[in-house]
Every structure is written in C-alpha cells, then in structure tokens.
Amino acid sequence: MNGIYCGPPPVPRELWTSWNLDPVLIAALACMAILLRRNRAGLVGVAVLAAAFVSPLCALSSALFSARVVHHVLLVAVAAPLLAHALPGRRAGSIALPFAVSTAVLWAWHVPAAYDLALSHKGVYWIMQITLTSSAVWFWRAALARDRAPVDALLYILAAFAQMGMLGALLTFAPQQLYAAHAIAPLDWGFTPLADQQLGGLLMWVPAGLPYAVAAAYVARGGWTRLRGAVS
C-alpha cells in the first residue's frame, strides 16, 4: 500500500497523459452516478469527484501543493455541497458538531507529518480523502437542511470559509516550506517549494471563497423565497 496513489509527480510534458484509470475508483464513481442519476446536483457532484481523482489534476497534486489545494477545495467546497444537496438533511439538527469535526479534519490533514504520510501511503491517502469529503458532506447536509434557519446556515457557511481562509493565511505567511512531499517536484514547474506553498495558501485564502459565496447566495435566496411565501 506504500507509494503515491496518483503516481509519481509528473513533469509538465507528461501532465496530459497522466490520467488515473484505477478500475476500482471508476467503478465506485459509476455506482455513485447510477444511485444519483435522477438528481442533477448529485450527478454534477460525481463529475467534480471525477475531475479531482481521474483527470490529470490527481497527478498534478502529487507534484504541487497548490494543485493539492485545488483538489481539496473541489472536494470540501464544491463536490460536498452538491452531494449534500442531493441528499439533504430532513431535520435541522446540530450544525455546530459537523462544523467542528469538518474543521478539525481539514486542519489535521494539513499538519505536515499527517500530510506527508498521506502522500506516501495509499491507504492513508484514501483515509484523508474519505474523511475530508464525508465530514464536509456532513457539514453541508446540516447547513442545507430543509428546515434550517437561513441566518444560522449563513453564519456557519461564513465560518467555514473563514477557518479555511485562516489556514490559507498561515500557509501563505509561513517562513519556510512545510511539506516534504513537495520539496523537489515544484522545481520542474518553475516554482520554489516555498512559492508553491504560498500560492496554495493564497488559493485557499481568497479564490476558495467563491463556492462558499455561491452556497450562501443559494441559502439566502431560499430563505427569501420562504419568507415571501409566508407573507403572501
């Protein structure tokens, strides 16, 4: 089980031939697509997972920390809310607990020792991906629950982006490169390891806010629609 799941870090000329055709992964994605075939959001969520794990982004994320950030943002801020929308919570239970767990999972996997282990061991790699995605789906199901008060949902969506932005800021301003897994490969892509880490931090800090803003707008629109219906 040792080794990098997506394969060794590619150099630029190899990237577009570095597709991940793992039959187990493809079968799992196909099963998800069949189960969610009647739900558009669910199918788009599966497509996002395919982009993260099948496309050359998977291989690129072995080389660049900044690509790994894109990979993780796709999982927790794009695929997860889409899958949660396809499988919404029926009752607005606690949102604080799934928020705390998903936040702890995200931060724990960015501890250098845990991160480097995940990128060097296929079993740990999948523990990382499954826990990141499942905890994020749990959070988004709670946030998008049908009877959730829109104000509560908006506050926690804002908090979810804020904690990711805080992690991104710490990585951006770290005085040294933190991850041994990306100590060499960024040089083939014209980055120093530290510059690659800083770019990843910036991506987590700023552009990652876009899917959270979209989710917040969706919640706000739904709340406004329900309010107008109640008034009329």
Side-chain angles (χ1 to χ4, degrees):
M1 293 294 289
N2 291 333
I4 303 174
Y5 172 72
C6 293
V11 296
R13 67 177 179 275
E14 299 172 345
L15 178 63
W16 296 110
T17 60
S18 300
W19 292 77
N20 177 25
L21 302 179
D22 178 358
V24 176
L25 170 69
I26 292 174
L29 292 172
C31 288
M32 290 181 65
I34 291 171
L35 290 173
L36 297 171
R37 64 187 181 278
R38 296 181 180 177
N39 188 286
R40 183 178 300 177
L43 288 175
V44 175
V46 174
V48 173
L49 292 178
F53 290 109
V54 178
S55 81
L57 176 61
C58 188
L60 185 61
S61 64
S62 297
L64 299 177
F65 177 75
S66 51
R68 176 65 58 186
V69 167
V70 173
H71 188 274
H72 285 172
V73 169
L74 287 176
L75 295 184
V76 305
V78 183
L82 288 167
L83 294 174
H85 187 274
L87 303 166
R90 294 181 181 179
R91 295 182 178 179
S94 171
I95 192 173
L97 180 59
F99 168 76
V101 171
S102 60
T103 297
V105 168
L106 179 67
W107 282 68
W109 282 118
H110 286 86
V111 173
Y115 182 96
D116 288 334
L117 178 61
L119 263 65
S120 64
H121 191 285
K122 293 179 182 178
V124 181
Y125 173 88
W126 277 112
I127 293 173
M128 172 198 265
Q129 308 310 317
I130 291 170
T131 54
L132 281 171
T133 306
S134 61
S135 64
V137 170
W138 184 24
F139 164 72
W140 285 107
R141 287 193 74 201
L144 301 177
R146 292 183 179 128
D147 56 350
R148 170 75 58 200
V151 173
D152 289 346
L154 288 170
L155 286 175
Y156 274 95
I157 290 171
L158 177 60
F161 171 60
Q163 61 84 20
M164 179 178 285
M166 187 181 301
L167 177 58
L170 290 174
L171 293 170
T172 300
F173 294 110
Q176 61 186 19
Q177 187 265 341
L178 299 175
Y179 302 109
H182 302 293
I184 297 174
L187 298 172
D188 292 327
W189 292 83
F191 294 98
T192 65
L194 181 58
D196 175 43
Q197 180 177 291
Q198 290 170 336
L199 175 59
L202 284 171
L203 290 172
M204 191 181 291
W205 190 9
V206 184
L210 180 59
Y212 289 93
V214 171
Y218 171 82
V219 169
R221 180 181 178 184
W224 175 248
T225 300
R226 291 200 298 270
L227 179 61
R228 289 184 62 188
V231 170
S232 61

